[in-house]
Amino acid sequence: MKKGLKLTDILVTIVIAVAFGIVYILWGSIYYSVKPLGLHLDQLIYGMWFIAGPVAFLILRKPGVALLAEIAAASGEFFLGSPWGLSVLLYGVVQGLFAELVFMAFKYKKFNMPVAVLAAIASCLASVIMDFAYGEIGALTLWNLSLFMIARFVGSIFFAGVTAYYLVKVLETTGVTNLVRPVSSKDYAELDQK
């Protein structure tokens, strides 16, 4: 399989990212409605903002796709009026880069749930680093910071790892991914066994 991105790959990634950019902007309303409930329940749903990169990579399976998807999704969210302003673009770059590093560590050859979960954890770590850099969470007491981190990492694993993986699996059963991913000899062998 060729690893370089073709124009079709870039366009499909951007379409995926724009769809998630819309989800991200709508997700902000859910985030802000949960935030007043306290105990960092809002952090349990924060992981949705990391889903574009893993989904795009699991669909296209090519280098650079996760980074491109997160940047494009953050751009879409920004242009749709994100309450976080331009900082959403920087978050998108860093979160996408961290997810991309996980896929790179597996040489872009693993497309399973553990790799998706590791990419989600990496994106979450990137967001925490950015939050510290922006001074968002540095003043939290240890117990509060611990609760914050646990909630954010659990939500990230669920949304950007497990949900991303199963969303792509559902798309694979419909045959949609065959439009953007070439059929391999392994796929033909599996058909012969059925």
Side-chain angles (χ1 to χ4, degrees), residues 20-33 35 42-43 45-50 73-92 95 127 130-131 134 136 152:
F20 279 113
I22 294 167
V23 169
Y24 289 178
I25 200 77
L26 296 173
W27 201 252
S29 302
I30 298 169
Y31 175 80
Y32 281 117
S33 67
K35 197 171 181 74
D42 55 327
Q43 297 307 307
I45 64 170
Y46 198 93
M48 178 59 83
W49 280 296
F50 314 139
S75 299
E77 183 182 3
F78 170 73
F79 287 119
L80 289 171
S82 171
W84 296 284
L86 278 173
S87 68
V88 77
L89 297 173
L90 187 54
Y91 272 79
Q95 291 163 185
S127 74
M130 292 299 296
D131 283 352
Y134 273 98
E136 306 253 342
R152 185 173 288 185

Side-chain angles (χ1 to χ4, degrees), residues 44 48 53 57 67 78 96 112 128 135 152 167 181:
L44 283 173
M48 178 59 83
F57 175 76
L67 177 60
F78 170 73
N112 54 25
V128 169
R152 185 173 288 185
L167 176 62
R181 193 186 313 149

